[in-house]
Amino acid sequence: MNLSLTGYDNPVTTFVGSLLANLPELLGAMSTEPAHFVMVAEFSDGRYFQVWSDPFGNVNGEVLSNLNIGDLIALSPEDEQELRRLGFEEPITFLSPNFSFEATTPSERLQLLAMLVSAVLDVLGEDMNNAVEVRTWQIEVPESATKNTIRCNARVYLE
């Protein structure tokens, strides 16, 4: 599979329905490429989800939380509870300030796919015809760096 990259500063605008239809292929490509990749899907209200991958086939999906957006409130308590019910792990200040789930096997990648689709449609309330900006890029990771350090340094924050 070839992974098409937009670059960090060059988002492509598409529709939520198209993004979700192509998400299985994107997750598959990210998990099979021997490098580190990031994909961020940002909606018109500034809320987002992002996906990280490493050269070992691990894919981490994140949905924003209220921890990294200052005084703004992106999710209601009910939204947060639904993300927990879907299987996302609690956010942790700095280290992992978004709701997250790491998929290390093909079945977990399918689980992550279903979780992200539910998060977009049911929690974030996006309509299939809404516009979404998608960015994909490769990140260089020194061998001495840990995955969490790289994720913290490269993380996208809602402004």
Side-chain angles (χ1 to χ4, degrees):
M1 269 184 210
N2 285 336
L3 186 58
S4 178
L5 303 177
T6 67
Y8 179 84
D9 294 322
N10 191 29
V12 171
T13 302
T14 187
F15 295 99
V16 170
S18 180
L19 171 63
L20 297 181
N22 289 295
L23 196 54
E25 184 177 357
L26 178 63
L27 293 180
M30 289 176 77
S31 71
T32 59
E33 292 288 330
H36 292 84
F37 294 98
V38 179
M39 184 280 296
V40 175
E42 186 174 348
F43 304 103
S44 60
D45 61 4
R47 299 189 301 171
Y48 64 90
F49 76 91
Q50 56 194 14
V51 178
W52 304 74
S53 67
D54 67 28
F56 312 107
N58 302 313
V59 179
N60 188 293
E62 298 185 7
V63 178
L64 88 158
S65 80
N66 295 333
L67 281 184
N68 66 348
I69 58 172
D71 295 333
L72 300 175
I73 296 177
L75 300 172
S76 70
E78 294 80 17
D79 293 335
E80 293 177 320
Q81 184 59 35
E82 181 61 14
L83 289 172
R84 288 182 200 96
R85 191 196 67 72
L86 289 170
F88 287 98
E89 294 177 22
E90 286 286 331
I92 302 168
T93 304
F94 184 70
L95 181 62
S96 185
N98 292 319
F99 285 90
S100 63
F101 180 83
E102 184 171 19
T104 60
T105 66
S107 63
E108 287 177 344
R109 281 192 294 278
L110 288 174
Q111 180 181 353
L112 174 59
L113 172 64
M115 291 166 64
L116 289 172
V117 170
S118 289
V120 169
L121 297 176
D122 302 329
V123 176
L124 300 179
E126 292 295 325
D127 183 88
M128 298 292 260
N129 295 314
N130 289 355
V132 58
E133 287 190 345
V134 179
R135 295 181 281 159
T136 53
W137 69 95
Q138 182 177 348
I139 56 174
E140 295 300 321
V141 177
E143 284 191 32
S144 62
T146 67
K147 173 177 55 178
N148 285 332
T149 300
I150 296 303
R151 286 176 54 211
C152 288
N153 291 339
R155 186 169 313 287
V156 173
Y157 292 91
L158 182 65
E159 296 179 15

